[in-house]
Amino acid sequence: MKPLPNWDGLTFSLTETDWIYVARGDQRKSPVWDAGEWLPFGDVGCTPASPALSYGLGIFEGLKAHRTKDDRILLFRADRNAERFRNSAERITLAPFPVERFIEASVELVRRNARFVPPYGKGSFYLRPVEWASEARLGLGTVQGFTVAFYGSPVGPYFSAGSAPGLRLLVKEQGRVAPGGTGYAKAAGNYAGGILIADKAKKLGFTDVLYLDARHVKYVTETSGSNVFLVRRDGTLVTPPLDDQILPGVTRESTIHVAKHLGVNVEERALSIDEVIADGVGLFCTGTAYTLARVHEITYRDRPYVFPDDSVRSRLFDVVRGIQKGESPDPWGWTIEVPRA
Ligand code: COI
């Protein structure tokens, strides 16, 4: 039994929990995936010749469960993460893990680690499914053997309280990912190169960076780990369309859905940095980890621009968070109630 964290001091960091799930896949077998096993949190073993280590053949997911006021636990949109996990696998030649198995393992992970789901209002339980090519191989090429592991951790806010009243983003005149590359997949390699870039920006006092597109270096795309939305002066919500450089965020999709339901005009289209500066009154990020995070300021070509209006983000956040925490009705069936252990 692992120790519980201090519920009043949760940040977005790892607390080891009691159970993890590990399944092994082999494309030469039928079925491809074994039944998997539940193990105490610990190392799972990896050959140094794994192409995940040399060539980045690894993917991951992030999804959350929340405790409700009446002490139930709700898992949010696991089906959408399951589908993205499969799509990400296909993009980088890993064996797709079945959607039903993903949902089952997610529910069971939360059920077994239920004592690590923070009390109502104290944070959430973040699930991190990962898959990697675990067969030894020296040269570049496809492999047949894979491992999937699911672990989770209680978490608090991704950004510290010091980021109030909102994030400060440094606009980088470069792409986050390559054109025609893996940007629409949740591939580990998409994140590796950005860590140094964000780290340098943080040392200058920024919370994160905002990337432009890699083809024209003109349109905004994503931060290090989230999608972005602009609230225009005329009240329209604009977010970049899904393409090779945009991750199909589950929070992005949920935000668009809720906004349309509330009668907000939503446009999924190319959004230039010039438009952000000229017509933007509000700006925010969306992601499982970032939630719907207000951006207070961006710096572009050494000039700061402030986004004073947080009203649209805050209205959308209340609805999404309300569904996640069981405080609002769930008209679209987005949550699964996790059975008691
Ligand atoms: C998430 O939002 O779950 C992510 O995977 C982003 C990551 C940078 C924490």
Side-chain angles (χ1 to χ4, degrees), residues 12 60 62 126 128 158 186 191 225 287-290:
F12 194 87
F60 69 101
Y126 182 85
R128 175 54 67 81
Y158 195 79
K186 209 156 173 67
Y191 295 82
T288 299
Y290 286 43

Side-chain angles (χ1 to χ4, degrees), residues 12 60-63 84 126-128 158 186 191 224-226 247 251 286-291:
F12 194 87
F60 69 101
E61 270 303 325
L63 63 163
R84 190 172 64 187
Y126 182 85
L127 293 79
R128 175 54 67 81
Y158 195 79
K186 209 156 173 67
Y191 295 82
S224 299
S226 77
L247 187 79
T251 312
T286 62
T288 299
Y290 286 43
T291 69

Side-chain angles (χ1 to χ4, degrees), residues 31-317:
V32 171
W33 294 96
D34 70 8
E37 53 185 340
W38 290 94
L39 301 169
F41 199 113
D43 293 356
V44 292
C46 182
T47 166
S50 157
L53 301 177
S54 296
Y55 305 132
L57 289 191
I59 59 168
F60 69 101
E61 270 303 325
L63 63 163
K64 277 180 175 173
H66 290 84
R67 200 177 286 280
T68 67
K69 214 177 230 169
D70 58 356
D71 208 27
R72 295 175 301 126
I73 298 173
L74 301 177
L75 181 61
F76 189 68
R77 305 203 75 179
D79 55 335
R80 300 301 291 140
N81 292 92
E83 282 159 25
R84 190 172 64 187
F85 198 55
R86 187 191 58 197
N87 295 339
S88 298
E90 280 170 354
R91 174 60 183 87
I92 65 161
T93 70
L94 309 185
F97 193 62
V99 166
E100 281 314 312
R101 293 273 311 269
F102 182 105
I103 297 170
E104 238 173 71
S106 298
V107 170
E108 183 62 11
L109 183 78
V110 180
R111 196 186 71 82
R112 285 181 179 248
N113 292 302
R115 65 192 191 89
F116 289 93
V117 178
Y120 170 78
K122 299 284 189 191
S124 58
F125 185 83
Y126 182 85
L127 293 79
R128 175 54 67 81
V130 289
E131 178 178 346
W132 67 97
S134 47
E135 177 185 321
R137 181 183 167 109
L138 193 58
L140 271 176
T142 57
V143 298
Q144 308 297 321
F146 307 95
T147 302
V148 154
F150 283 59
Y151 66 93
S153 172
V155 296
Y158 195 79
F159 297 107
S160 70
S163 60
L167 312 187
R168 290 186 69 221
L169 304 181
L170 176 63
V171 178
K172 293 297 295 181
E173 294 188 68
Q174 68 173 87
R176 177 185 69 100
V177 287
T182 55
Y184 66 89
K186 209 156 173 67
N190 292 345
Y191 295 82
I195 293 174
L196 177 65
I197 292 170
D199 196 54
K200 284 182 178 167
K202 284 172 192 168
K203 288 188 173 125
L204 295 173
F206 297 96
T207 335
D208 199 356
V209 294
L210 175 60
Y211 290 101
L212 300 186
D213 74 287
R215 279 193 185 83
H216 312 281
V217 201
K218 175 175 173 188
Y219 301 102
V220 299
T221 57
E222 298 193 6
T223 68
S224 299
S226 77
N227 298 111
V228 291
F229 285 77
L230 181 77
V231 182
R232 284 174 49 96
R233 212 175 295 285
D234 63 6
T236 302
L237 197 54
V238 187
T239 193
L242 297 183
D243 64 15
D244 56 351
Q245 295 175 56
I246 302 289
L247 187 79
V250 177
T251 312
R252 173 190 182 277
E253 183 184 288
S254 308
T255 300
I256 292 171
H257 195 88
V258 168
K260 287 183 176 167
H261 181 72
L262 295 180
V264 177
N265 182 33
V266 184
E267 293 177 0
E268 291 177 67
R269 62 164 171 81
L271 174 61
S272 71
I273 185 66
D274 292 342
E275 179 180 350
V276 169
I277 287 166
D279 296 327
V281 291
L283 188 66
F284 62 92
C285 301
T286 62
T288 299
Y290 286 43
T291 69
L292 279 80
R294 176 182 183 181
V295 176
H296 182 255
E297 191 183 307
I298 65 171
T299 292
Y300 176 56
R301 296 186 174 168
D302 296 327
R303 275 190 60 184
Y305 301 89
V306 169
F307 297 84
D309 186 350
D310 189 42
S311 58
V312 174
R313 181 210 65 89
S314 115
R315 215 152 48 101
L316 298 171
F317 181 65

